Amino acid sequence: MKKESIYYAIINGGEEKRVENWSKSEVLDWLGTIKQKRMDLYETITASIIKEHAQKYFIEEPKKDDRLCMKPNPEGYGMNSYQRRRASFHSELTRDELHTLALLCNEMGIFSEPVPVTTDTFTALFRMEHSGLRVRKIRMLCVLLSSLSYHGLIARNWQAPIYQNNLIGAFKKDGYVNRNDLTTAYNAINNVLMDERVSVIEKTVKMLAKAHGFTDKH
């Protein structure tokens, strides 16, 4: 007969207590003891916990700077090579700043759905989550995202997260905005440079960049 393994801690003057009956405080006390007595075991345990519970593709930036983008995990943290190559917005935008951008998009009618675009909608977009966004004015969207990229608020390859993850629905056709749609619209930006809306977008993005300490690159 196979003997059942029993794991327990010696607590309260020698009393044995099975692990399934431990309280949270007892677990924390136990980890504290391991950290003091066996740092090598403590590091192994914590690394295993992080790997086990890390999100499948991305981890969130520390909340101290309120960033809302999901960045790739470090090498070895539960990701295969494809997942590590997966593009990210690498956003520097806070929730308040995403609220400002949502208001701007609503004012300009950049999206046809949802109406109105909310802060949560934009938060989901930059987390690369499906949010129900469907673009109406793709050139203006490209103006906005390219401006955010130029001023260092999102990654240079901002197009890739959109078409790789089907994040934005197309307006005049079924399905999602693809790479060709974005490239064509981006290359046509010169046709709208004199549009007053472009100036408004640029002014807004410059204001956000200034709050981050970013300055013009030229």
Side-chain angles (χ1 to χ4, degrees), residues 191-206:
N191 296 334
V192 295
L193 284 180
M194 301 306 293
D195 193 308
E196 183 180 352
R197 295 171 296 178
V198 175
S199 298
V200 173
I201 290 173
E202 182 65 13
K203 182 178 179 180
T204 301
V205 173
K206 280 185 176 180

Side-chain angles (χ1 to χ4, degrees), residues 80-137:
N80 58 38
S81 59
Y82 166 75
Q83 292 162 352
R84 284 192 293 272
R85 293 195 305 269
R86 192 180 181 201
S88 168
F89 284 108
H90 291 274
S91 173
E92 298 287 340
L93 298 163
T94 67
R95 187 170 179 82
D96 286 343
E97 290 164 347
L98 291 175
H99 177 68
T100 298
L101 294 179
L103 293 177
L104 179 65
C105 288
N106 288 329
E107 179 182 345
M108 295 187 173
I110 292 178
F111 296 100
S112 61
E113 296 177 23
V115 178
V117 173
T118 66
T119 305
D120 288 340
T121 307
F122 256 88
T123 299
L125 172 65
F126 285 101
R127 287 182 185 275
M128 298 194 303
E129 299 170 355
H130 289 280
S131 57
L133 278 172
R134 185 170 296 275
V135 67
R136 180 190 297 273
K137 300 174 181 176

